[in-house]
Structure formats: structure tokens, C-alpha cells
Amino acid sequence: MSLLYLVDGYNALKRSGLFQDKQFSEARSAFIAYLDRYRPHGSCRNRLVVIFDGTSEVFSPKESCTFEVIFTRGESADTKIVEMIAASRDHKNTVVVTDDKGILRCVRPYGVK
């Protein structure tokens, strides 16, 4: 069984505390490099999608090679995550990584982890 991890990018980045000594864009790149290197989502069969608010103007997609990075362009990452859950057919194998209570309230009825 493979899992889909949807990560609230800036929420996880800020909460991790690992990159607090870096400038904003540098911290985001370091966070993505960390996820790519250490694969905290486990098995190579598991899919990881990191969703950030905003646009990718200052981000090179080549920075990530083992997972997908989405910039929401005009909508919040919260909204995008909820939309992705609503559109998914496999809720029981989906994990949402955030401590944002608004997102959790919206996705909990779907039975995601």
C-alpha cells in the first residue's frame, strides 16, 4: 500500500525549526533539499506533494527530483490542499501534514490521516 502525503509547505517549514537561521527563500530551498535527501515520507512508492502559497518566480523546479512541489498562484495552500482531498478517490491512504486547524477541520470528514 502506498500513501499520498500532502504537505502544507510553509506551515511545515516554519514548524520544523530546522531552517530558522536562513532567509525565507533560502529556508524554503533547504527544506525542499532536506525532504529530497531524507525522504521522511518513507518508501519510494509513497508520493509526496508539497504545497506552497504564491508563485514559483524565485524557485527552480530542478531543486526537487523525487517529489512534486506546487505553488498555488492566487489561492491559498489551505484551499489547494482541501480541493486536492475533495478530488481524491483514495482518502484512507492520504496523509495531510499540517497543524493548521482550519485545514484539519475541512479534511477530517474525508477520513484522511
Side-chain angles (χ1 to χ4, degrees), residues 4-8 48-49 51 81 84-85 94-98:
L4 168 62
Y5 288 86
L6 299 177
V7 177
D8 183 358
L48 173 66
V49 181
I51 301 102
I81 291 168
M84 291 174 76
I85 294 296
T94 301
V95 178
V96 176
V97 181
T98 187

Side-chain angles (χ1 to χ4, degrees), residues 34-104:
Y34 176 89
L35 294 174
D36 193 41
R37 180 173 183 190
Y38 293 105
R39 295 194 54 80
H41 49 290
S43 168
C44 292
R45 292 184 310 186
N46 293 337
R47 184 172 165 225
L48 173 66
V49 181
V50 181
I51 301 102
F52 289 106
D53 298 302
T55 63
S56 62
E57 294 168 1
V58 294
F59 177 77
S60 168
K62 294 178 186 174
E63 291 182 50
S64 173
C65 60
T66 63
F67 57 91
E68 184 178 359
V69 176
I70 295 174
F71 286 86
T72 59
R73 298 184 185 143
E75 67 180 330
S76 72
D78 300 15
T79 300
K80 184 68 173 176
I81 291 168
V82 172
E83 287 174 357
M84 291 174 76
I85 294 296
S88 172
R89 293 181 181 210
D90 192 13
H91 297 127
K92 69 178 184 162
N93 291 317
T94 301
V95 178
V96 176
V97 181
T98 187
D99 69 351
D100 183 306
K101 289 178 180 33
I103 295 174
L104 296 175

